[in-house]
Amino acid sequence: MSQPIIDVLGTGCKKCHELEANARAALAQLNLTAEVNHITDPLAIADCGVMRTPALRINGQVVSQGKVLSAAEIAALLPR
C-alpha cells in the first residue's frame, strides 16, 4: 500500500499548527509514514470545497472542517 497523503488546510493560525502536530502524532502512534502538506493559500483551500478551517484532508477526501481533531481521532481515520 502506498503512503497516505495528509493535507492540513488553513492559513497558518495556532489551530492549524495544532492540527498538523496532531496529525504527525497520529502517524507516530501508528508507526506510519505519510506525506504531510500544509496548504495555506485561501484560493487553494476554497478549491478543495473547504469553507471552515482548520480542515484535514486524507488522500484527497476532506474528513474534517472547522475543528482541531485529536491525534486519536486522526489515527482512527488513517488507512492501515
Side-chain angles (χ1 to χ4, degrees), residues 14-66:
K14 179 182 174 191
K15 289 184 179 184
C16 297
H17 290 291
E18 185 178 346
L19 181 61
E20 182 176 352
N22 289 350
R24 292 183 187 280
L27 290 167
Q29 288 173 6
L30 298 173
N31 198 28
L32 293 175
T33 59
E35 179 181 332
V36 180
N37 305 302
H38 195 137
I39 299 171
T40 58
D41 177 39
L43 294 177
I45 292 169
D47 284 345
C48 295
V50 170
M51 295 298 146
R52 294 181 298 147
T53 60
L56 186 70
R57 186 168 67 169
I58 299 174
N59 293 332
Q61 179 181 1
V62 177
V63 296
S64 174
Q65 292 188 56

